[in-house]
């Protein structure tokens, strides 16, 4: 079956723990677990405000695991 431009592209979903979130509630993409061939410029994605965020380059969605909360210092 050929993929057409109307077919949705599946993107990865990365579930995060509070310990993985950096500084003021952000995560960066590409993350260290991604293969070298998939690298793109590093972007910081805010996950503190809504609990999730999506990379504008590769479409990877980062979201907090159920029950995880980001605490400020």
């Amino acid at each position: 079956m050929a993929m057409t431009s109307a077919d949705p592209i599946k993107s990865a979903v990365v579930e995060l723990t509070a310990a993985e979130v950096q500084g003021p509630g952000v995560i960066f993409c590409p993350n260290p677990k991604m293969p070298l061939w998939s690298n793109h410029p590093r972007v910081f994605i805010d996950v503190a405000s809504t609990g999730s965020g999506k990379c504008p380059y590769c479409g990877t969605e980062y979201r907090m695991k159920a029950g995880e909360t980001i605490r400020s210092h």
Side-chain angles (χ1 to χ4, degrees):
M1 174 179 185
M3 183 177 240
T4 67
S5 60
D7 291 333
I9 297 173
K10 290 218 177 218
S11 59
V13 175
V14 178
E15 290 192 315
L16 306 166
T17 63
E20 294 172 302
V21 177
Q22 314 264 317
V26 297
I27 193 77
F28 64 86
C29 188
N31 67 58
K33 295 177 183 175
M34 290 181 157
L36 187 58
W37 62 262
S38 69
N39 278 343
H40 54 67
R42 181 178 280 192
V43 291
F44 292 88
I45 301 164
D46 175 23
V47 293
S49 9
T50 62
S52 68
K54 198 169 199 173
C55 176
Y57 286 102
C58 66
T60 300
E61 181 182 350
Y62 294 88
R63 64 177 167 216
M64 298 302 296
K65 285 185 179 180
E68 291 285 324
T69 56
I70 301 171
R71 298 192 178 143
S72 59
H73 296 279

